[in-house]
Amino acid sequence: MVTNEVRSLDGRFNVMALACPTRAVIDRIGDKWTLLVLYALGSGRLRFSQLRAQVQGVSQKMLTQTLRGMERDGLLSRTVHAEVPPRVEYELTELGRGLQEVVAGIRLWAYGHMDEIDEARERYDTKI
Amino acid sequence: MVTNEVRSLDGRFNVMALACPTRAVIDRIGDKWTLLVLYALGSGRLRFSQLRAQVQGVSQKMLTQTLRGMERDGLLSRTVHAEVPPRVEYELTELGRGLQEVVAGIRLWAYGHMDEIDEARERYDTKI
DNA sequence: CTGAATCCTTTCCGATACTG
DNA sequence: CAGTATCGGAAAGGATTCAG
């Protein structure tokens, strides 16, 4: 573990240092659409219109924006075919697939504990 | 795995169904402060003012709001001591500590791959 | 078909003032 | 000390229009 490096002089964890890299990842997938695109591309390469159909509810603007961001971060590759009408295909890179596996860990925990969270919410809401 | 249940008739994954529980978790920790509070409370129980000192940059309003949300979801417990001046202590529940372990998985991946993302960004930005 | 550009609404959140 | 309440700026994101 890397935790040694981020302890302050008083022995406390430096919250910021610990959170920072995690924060970066969460910020990356925490927006409204990246996670859904990641899932959609999990089964293989898709073109823009297919993505838009599978990620229902996404606007053209936001899909483009999300894809640009993910391409910039090396999570997916974008290939433009010189045809008319144009055909553009997106595919996860190895880095993107790795991120997907991480997210799979979250999903696993989510499936196992979302009911606990829901129960806690009900208790909290009814008590007050 | 639960993936069988979320395949559509055409054999494709239903992106929404797959992502939904994960989305809920990401939304929970994806806001600006929850992650930092989670880290800060990792080393043990803290009172409000201590939290505010450790999570530097957080406003009193946002800290309160974040703590309320996490309490509602059963991630932490809030105990008010009947004293003057008041003393309120926050501590992670077992559920909260479980979530922390999940986040640790993200952190591990982040430490190993954030440089790749940074490199990809530089390549992308300089190329255009 | 893919995508850029603009407008406009909604949401987030920091600053500030006030309270038991 | 540990909150609550309110206001306004900033940012996210949806709808729409135009273009290669």
Side-chain angles (χ1 to χ4, degrees):
Chain A
M1 278 290 283
V2 207
T3 46
N4 303 337
E5 307 172 11
V6 290
R7 281 184 182 274
S8 306
L9 292 178
D10 60 354
R12 277 255 187 63
F13 286 105
N14 179 330
V15 173
M16 292 301 178
L18 252 180
C20 181
T22 316
R23 165 93 283 137
V25 174
I26 297 294
D27 283 345
R28 192 81 236 6
I29 63 176
D31 68 88
K32 208 170 172 185
W33 302 110
T34 298
L35 204 59
L36 295 172
V37 170
L38 206 64
Y39 278 123
L41 289 179
S43 24
R45 155 184 339 200
L46 289 177
R47 56 189 297 183
F48 189 85
S49 47
Q50 294 176 310
L51 265 174
R52 192 169 177 189
Q54 240 183 81
V55 182
Q56 48 171 283
V58 69
S59 67
Q60 176 269 331
K61 170 189 169 182
M62 288 316 295
L63 182 54
T64 301
Q65 192 171 301
T66 302
L67 290 169
R68 288 292 175 282
M70 295 176 71
E71 186 195 3
R72 186 171 107 100
D73 289 350
L75 298 176
L76 54 79
S77 64
R78 174 174 182 269
T79 51
V80 184
H81 299 268
E83 303 171 358
V84 180
R87 178 166 56 101
V88 182
E89 291 186 315
Y90 296 89
E91 187 174 21
L92 289 187
T93 61
E94 197 181 322
L95 191 63
R97 285 191 295 273
L99 182 56
Q100 237 198 353
E101 289 172 26
V102 171
V103 174
I106 307 177
R107 185 167 69 243
L108 214 58
W109 186 86
Y111 269 118
H113 298 275
M114 277 313 291
D115 51 342
E116 295 180 46
I117 292 185
D118 287 340
E119 286 167 20
R121 271 186 204 172
E122 280 188 39
R123 273 197 304 275
Y124 186 94
D125 291 345
T126 58
K127 214 183 309 181
I128 302 180
Chain B
M1 278 291 281
V2 208
T3 46
N4 302 338
E5 307 173 10
V6 291
R7 281 185 180 274
S8 306
L9 292 178
D10 60 356
R12 276 255 187 62
F13 287 105
N14 179 332
V15 173
M16 291 301 178
L18 253 180
C20 180
T22 316
R23 165 93 282 137
V25 173
I26 298 294
D27 283 345
R28 192 84 239 358
I29 62 178
D31 67 88
K32 207 171 173 185
W33 302 111
T34 297
L35 204 58
L36 296 172
V37 170
L38 205 64
Y39 280 123
L41 289 179
S43 25
R45 156 185 338 203
L46 288 176
R47 57 189 296 182
F48 189 86
S49 48
Q50 295 175 311
L51 265 173
R52 192 169 177 189
Q54 240 183 81
V55 181
Q56 48 170 281
V58 69
S59 68
Q60 179 271 340
K61 170 189 167 182
M62 288 315 293
L63 182 55
T64 301
Q65 192 171 301
T66 303
L67 290 169
R68 288 292 175 282
M70 294 176 72
E71 186 194 2
R72 186 171 107 99
D73 288 351
L75 298 175
L76 53 79
S77 64
R78 174 176 182 266
T79 50
V80 184
H81 299 268
E83 303 170 2
V84 181
R87 178 167 55 100
V88 182
E89 291 186 315
Y90 295 89
E91 187 173 22
L92 288 187
T93 61
E94 198 182 322
L95 191 63
R97 285 192 295 273
L99 181 57
Q100 239 197 350
E101 290 173 25
V102 171
V103 174
I106 307 177
R107 185 167 70 243
L108 214 60
W109 186 88
Y111 270 119
H113 298 275
M114 278 313 291
D115 52 340
E116 296 180 45
I117 291 186
D118 288 340
E119 286 167 21
R121 271 185 205 173
E122 280 188 38
R123 274 197 304 275
Y124 186 94
D125 292 344
T126 58
K127 215 183 309 182
I128 301 182

